[in-house]
Amino acid sequence: MAIDTTRTFKPIRIALLTVSDTRGPDDDTSGDILAQRVRDAGHTLAERAIEKDDADRIAVRLNNWIDDTTIDAVVITGGTGLTGRDVTPEALDKVKTRDIPGFGELFRWLSYKTIGTSTIQSRACAVVARGTYIFALPGSNGAVKDGWDGILAEQLDSRNRPCNFVELMPRLLER
């Protein structure tokens, strides 16, 4: 990480969403990993929820969080695979203003180092939705570690140089 220690860390408020037909609060290990990493990084865990693999229900949850001006970013775990029930990218299509294609590209490059060519089965992605960042990671523990440790920890740190997502937040709604 290229952290400039002369700059002030600016914590942001992050909501976490687990998308799963099978996981509940007691066995949401990937959500637990993300929640701990959010807190360890110095950010605020604004909200946490679990939704079934249903694009409309996911979009409703996301729209509520997008409309909440106290939530700066959303991190989703799950629903990014290729099966018929994996609908997280489709839910993001319902709410997005614009794509962040480099996120998915970088995630798969990092993931390749740990799971090889199986990474092509991931539809990890990120969008901006009416001024809120939304990052969608696969549901495995390894994938959320790769995504947070390899991308989000740096890009959600306002001290990261040469640039980061936090410094762009005031400008996301520019016209």
Side-chain angles (χ1 to χ4, degrees), residues 102-111 119 122 124 137-138 143 146-147 151:
F103 179 83
E105 295 163 0
L106 180 55
F107 173 81
R108 282 179 285 280
W109 179 77
L110 291 169
S111 178
T119 193
S122 168
L137 297 167
D146 287 347
I151 306 171

Side-chain angles (χ1 to χ4, degrees), residues 17-161:
L17 178 62
T18 297
V19 174
S20 177
D21 285 335
T22 60
R23 292 187 188 171
D26 294 334
D27 61 354
D28 180 17
T29 56
S30 61
D32 292 341
I33 290 167
L34 283 171
Q36 189 61 51
R37 278 169 161 70
V38 165
R39 289 189 292 267
D40 288 349
H43 300 297
T44 300
L45 181 58
E47 289 193 42
R48 184 172 171 187
I50 298 174
E51 289 288 349
K52 299 284 185 197
D53 291 279
D54 178 300
D56 291 330
R57 284 178 62 172
I58 297 165
V60 167
R61 170 79 63 179
L62 293 175
N63 275 318
N64 287 336
W65 284 346
I66 294 162
D67 291 339
D68 183 340
T69 58
T70 68
I71 294 177
D72 301 307
V74 176
V75 181
I76 303 171
T77 174
T80 61
L82 298 175
T83 74
R85 297 291 301 153
D86 291 319
V87 295
T88 298
E90 288 75 15
L92 268 60
D93 285 344
K94 294 174 180 279
V95 302
K96 73 180 179 184
T97 307
R98 61 178 35 147
D99 291 303
I100 307 172
F103 179 83
E105 295 163 0
L106 180 55
F107 173 81
R108 282 179 285 280
W109 179 77
L110 291 169
S111 178
Y112 178 78
K113 295 176 181 180
T114 56
I115 65 168
T117 60
S118 294
T119 193
I120 65 170
Q121 295 179 28
S122 168
R123 295 187 302 146
C125 56
V127 301
V128 176
R130 301 187 313 273
T132 301
Y133 291 114
I134 305 174
F135 307 98
L137 297 167
S140 74
N141 293 350
V144 298
K145 290 174 185 175
D146 287 347
W148 183 270
D149 299 347
I151 306 171
L152 295 175
E154 293 182 16
Q155 280 299 299
L156 296 178
D157 189 323
S158 58
R159 303 167 299 169
N160 191 64
R161 301 278 110 227

Side-chain angles (χ1 to χ4, degrees), residues 2-8 159-161:
I3 297 297
D4 181 347
T5 57
T6 65
R7 297 178 58 100
T8 302
R159 303 167 299 169
N160 191 64
R161 301 278 110 227

